[in-house]
């Protein structure tokens, strides 16, 4: 590999000749040989939005000339479009502020601008990575700002739509099976009847609640600490820079970000991200329950519950011919488990740091962005390849319902709990029907039993 020499405050360092990054990035790539994870591309590309907005704001405030502004816009547009992705080699596991990534961005943009202007790479002409691309900024305020921008974009433009689609399919299933009474189950044991539609609608309601909380949590992430520079005071920036740069961020993203009133809070602590990650964990808990219930309800097909039939997507076993497994549900379960684990990392990272700076920013954003992607991808796949193809096995449902001892619960208001329990115990011990037991105990006639025991009527309030 051919190299060129670039210089930073520590002296000269070799940089790959065909890369746009500079000395500080080369040092960081060598100093952090940790793991395989790199900074998420969402952060890299969205940094282009921040740098573009800052350049426009600095120009409007008279701090850079039009030539520099135009070069910054062109280079940032390439970064935003993903054309410069190959120039970001630094490990995710770097300094807790994200300084290495901020400078990686500044150097790549500066060298790309040098190339555009016909200057040598590393010349820092006509735009300097620190003096111009980092003007009115610090890593400490730009990194949490880009974190928030990335999370809001990924949530609003990707995740929410997928969750809404899942909610609609659950609603469709609830409507389709609203009159299909079946055995309810509590503690994994037979309980009073419920309709299959009510079972699906329970999932719809759980998801709907989580969606509301998710959308609400975004408003706290939309308060950006940009303009706070190093410790939240705004040193080395002009008054009003914060509102200007946020205005340009909104023009670029189509979102409704605001400049945070207290920028120190957004630099030193990340309670907003902890809160958001907690909502993702709540969604993961919903995913896990949905996955497990589908696995149980489809178990069999002959020796399990088998009340629903799932699509046959692929052979389920390398040794057992004809076996079909709930693979989409299992993938959903595993994704949910990882999201829960990610939330633990976010909580630890969010509680870290001292005084004016949280020092686990890369850890926090990596886990949150991974969680968003895992939830979105796994739910989308589950919805498309499993939920939409689920069909009820109505014969199996009817057979279980007719055999259920818990239908006796409807007799509580008629003959009392004790006599109803006696009927259930007799039926179970002697392996006879509830009706036979009730008649033999002389608590009800056969006609009275049939009048009071109506499984469909037991799926809603039934007392006058």
């Amino acid at each position: 590999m051919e190299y060129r020499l670039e210089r930073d405050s520590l002296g000269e360092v070799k940089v790959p000749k065909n890369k746009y990054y500079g000395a500080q990035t080369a040092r960081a790539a060598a100093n952090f040989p940790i793991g395989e994870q790199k900074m998420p591309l969402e952060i890299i590309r969205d940094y282009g939005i921040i740098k573009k907005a800052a350049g426009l704001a600095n120009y409007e405030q008279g701090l850079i000339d039009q030539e520099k502004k135009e070069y910054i816009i062109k280079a940032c547009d390439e970064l935003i479009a993903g054309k410069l992705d190959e120039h970001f080699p630094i490990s995710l596991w770097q300094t807790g502020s994200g300084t290495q990534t901020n400078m990686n961005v500044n150097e790549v943009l500066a060298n790309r601008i040098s190339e555009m202007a016909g200057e040598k790479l590393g010349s820092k002409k006509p735009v300097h990575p620190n003096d111009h691309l980092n003007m009115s900024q610090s890593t400490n305020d730009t990194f949490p700002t880009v974190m928030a921008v990335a999370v809001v974009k990924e949530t609003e433009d990707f995740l929410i739509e997928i969750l809404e689609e899942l909610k609609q399919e659950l609603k469709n299933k609830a409507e389709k099976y609203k009159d299909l009474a079946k055995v309810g189950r509590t503690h994994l044991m037979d309980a009073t009847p419920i309709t299959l539609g009510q079972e699906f609608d329970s999932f719809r309601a759980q998801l709907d609640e989580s969606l509301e909380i998710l959308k609400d949590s975004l408003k706290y992430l939309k308060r950006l600490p940009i303009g706070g520079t190093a410790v939240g005071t705004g040193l080395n920036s002009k008054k009003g820079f914060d509102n200007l740069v946020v205005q340009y961020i909104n023009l670029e993203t189509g979102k409704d970000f605001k400049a945070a009133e207290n920028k120190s809070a957004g630099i030193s602590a990340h309670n907003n991200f902890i809160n958001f990650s907690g909502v993702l964990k709540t969604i993961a808990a919903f995913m896990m329950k949905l996955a497990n219930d589908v696995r149980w309800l489809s178990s069999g097909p002959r020796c399990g519950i088998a009340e629903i039939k799932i699509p046959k997507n692929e052979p389920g076993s390398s040794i057992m011919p004809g076996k079909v497994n709930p693979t989409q549900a299992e993938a959903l379960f595993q994704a949910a488990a990882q999201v829960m684990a990610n939330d633990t990392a976010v909580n630890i990272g969010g509680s870290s740091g001292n005084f004016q700076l949280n020092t686990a920013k890369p850890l926090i954003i990596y886990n949150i962005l991974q969680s968003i992607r895992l939830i979105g991808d796994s739910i989308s796949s589950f919805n498309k390849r499993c939920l939409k193809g689920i069909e009820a096995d109505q014969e199996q449902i009817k057979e279980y319902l007719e055999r259920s001892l818990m239908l006796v619960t409807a007799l509580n208001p008629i003959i009392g709990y004790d006599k109803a329990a006696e009927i259930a115990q007799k039926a179970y011990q002697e392996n006879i029907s509830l009706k036979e037991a009730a008649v033999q105990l002389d608590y009800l006639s056969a006609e009275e039993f049939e009048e009071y025991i109506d499984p469909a009527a037991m799926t809603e309030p039934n007392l006058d």
Side-chain angles (χ1 to χ4, degrees):
M1 182 182 290
E2 294 187 60
Y3 292 90
R4 68 178 188 274
L5 291 178
E6 282 213 23
R7 175 178 290 275
D8 61 12
S9 60
L10 295 182
E12 288 186 336
V13 64
K14 287 183 177 181
V15 179
K17 192 172 184 180
N18 63 341
K19 298 298 182 184
Y20 288 139
Y21 58 79
Q24 290 194 50
T25 301
R27 291 188 195 281
N31 287 334
F32 297 98
I34 304 171
E36 297 179 353
Q37 297 86 358
K38 305 296 182 185
M39 190 63 63
L41 285 176
E42 295 93 336
I43 294 297
I44 300 301
R45 295 172 184 176
D46 288 346
Y47 237 124
I49 295 173
I50 307 305
K51 296 297 178 180
K52 180 179 179 179
L56 288 165
N58 282 322
Y59 171 75
E60 189 167 333
Q61 292 193 314
L63 297 177
I64 60 172
D65 60 32
Q66 184 166 351
E67 180 190 44
K68 287 181 174 59
K69 178 198 75 171
E70 294 299 331
Y71 274 128
I72 289 172
I73 290 172
K74 288 179 183 178
C76 286
D77 282 342
E78 289 187 2
L79 182 60
I80 293 166
K83 295 180 180 179
L84 305 178
D85 289 351
E86 66 180 282
H87 302 281
F88 295 88
I90 305 172
S91 168
L92 175 80
W93 312 109
Q94 53 179 274
T95 187
S97 62
T99 298
Q100 283 77 26
T101 290
N102 179 36
M103 280 310 303
N104 193 172
V105 170
N106 290 333
E107 289 181 336
V108 166
L109 292 173
N111 273 325
R112 177 66 184 114
I113 289 169
S114 293
E115 186 177 65
M116 290 177 179
E119 302 282 354
K120 290 177 60 177
L121 296 186
S123 67
K124 302 178 182 178
K125 297 177 182 179
V127 172
H128 193 284
N130 298 83
D131 295 340
H132 303 127
L133 284 162
N134 209 57
M135 180 179 283
S136 309
Q137 307 154 64
S138 164
T139 299
N140 297 354
D141 67 338
T142 60
F143 202 90
T145 293
V146 78
M147 286 166 65
V149 169
V151 170
V152 169
K153 284 178 60 187
E154 287 298 297
T155 303
E156 291 189 342
D157 301 345
F158 167 70
L159 182 59
I160 288 177
E161 181 180 350
I162 289 171
L163 295 176
E164 292 284 2
E165 289 173 355
L166 178 67
K167 187 176 78 169
Q168 183 58 51
E169 186 56 35
L170 290 167
K171 187 176 179 181
N172 293 343
K173 287 289 188 291
E175 178 63 25
K176 181 176 181 179
Y177 296 117
K178 65 181 179 180
D179 298 322
L180 182 57
K182 63 180 290 292
V183 172
R185 294 179 178 86
T186 58
H187 305 274
L188 294 180
M189 307 298 283
D190 302 343
T192 55
I194 188 172
T195 70
L196 185 58
Q198 287 171 326
E199 206 161 17
F200 278 114
D201 197 52
S202 171
F203 285 115
R204 191 271 318 155
Q206 293 168 49
L207 179 56
D208 197 36
E209 184 177 273
S210 293
L211 260 169
E212 288 183 22
I213 299 170
L214 181 71
K215 292 173 183 177
D216 185 64
S217 68
L218 288 175
K219 69 183 180 184
Y220 302 103
L221 289 170
K222 290 182 177 180
R223 301 169 184 171
L224 305 180
I226 190 73
T229 64
V231 296
T233 62
L235 177 68
N236 287 353
S237 71
K238 273 192 174 184
K239 188 175 182 179
F241 171 79
D242 56 348
N243 289 318
L244 269 178
V245 75
V246 170
Q247 172 187 322
Y248 285 117
I249 289 171
N250 287 338
L251 284 173
E252 184 71 28
T253 62
K255 304 300 181 186
D256 55 343
F257 295 104
K258 294 182 174 68
E261 290 185 18
N262 190 313
K263 295 170 179 58
S264 180
I267 293 171
S268 64
H270 293 316
N271 297 337
N272 48 356
F273 290 98
I274 295 173
N275 176 58
F276 182 82
S277 180
V279 179
L280 297 181
K281 181 177 67 174
T282 302
I283 295 172
F286 156 80
M287 291 161 56
M288 197 168 280
K289 185 179 190 309
L290 178 61
N292 279 330
D293 281 7
V294 166
R295 292 169 66 204
W296 277 97
L297 291 173
S298 63
S299 62
R302 292 188 174 180
C303 302
I305 294 176
E307 288 185 342
I308 62 173
K309 300 175 182 179
I310 57 174
K312 299 178 180 180
N313 294 323
E314 70 278 309
S317 171
S318 61
I319 189 173
M320 293 174 279
K323 197 170 191 295
V324 176
N325 291 332
T327 53
Q328 290 295 319
E330 290 169 3
L332 188 66
F333 175 92
Q334 292 175 84
Q338 185 62 57
V339 171
M340 290 179 176
N342 288 351
D343 181 64
T344 299
V346 171
N347 278 268
I348 294 170
S351 62
S352 299
N354 304 98
F355 306 117
Q356 278 69 59
L357 183 67
N358 172 281
T359 52
K361 300 181 196 296
L363 169 73
I364 291 169
I365 192 58
Y366 177 83
N367 281 280
I368 288 179
L369 288 176
Q370 186 189 64
S371 290
I372 291 172
R373 180 58 58 177
L374 281 173
I375 291 172
D377 286 350
S378 62
I379 282 182
S380 179
S381 183
F382 176 82
N383 191 25
K384 178 182 178 181
R385 296 176 177 87
C386 182
L387 183 61
K388 288 186 177 182
I390 285 177
E391 296 289 340
D393 188 327
Q394 301 201 30
E395 290 185 9
Q396 184 76 291
I397 287 173
K398 181 181 178 182
E399 180 183 344
Y400 284 148
L401 189 59
E402 289 175 348
R403 292 168 52 196
S404 173
L405 296 176
M406 291 304 101
L407 296 178
V408 78
T409 306
L411 299 179
N412 287 356
I414 311 301
I415 62 174
Y417 180 94
D418 292 339
K419 289 182 178 179
E422 192 178 349
I423 291 172
Q425 289 298 321
K426 182 178 178 65
Y428 177 68
Q429 291 167 5
E430 299 180 15
N431 195 26
I432 60 176
S433 70
L434 287 173
K435 181 166 69 173
E436 288 173 317
V439 172
Q440 289 181 23
L441 288 168
D442 201 25
Y443 290 153
L444 292 168
S445 67
E447 293 76 14
E448 288 173 325
F449 182 89
E450 292 176 359
E451 177 185 350
Y452 297 132
I453 300 296
D454 179 358
M458 295 175 67
T459 62
E460 58 187 20
N462 63 327
L463 295 182
D464 294 332

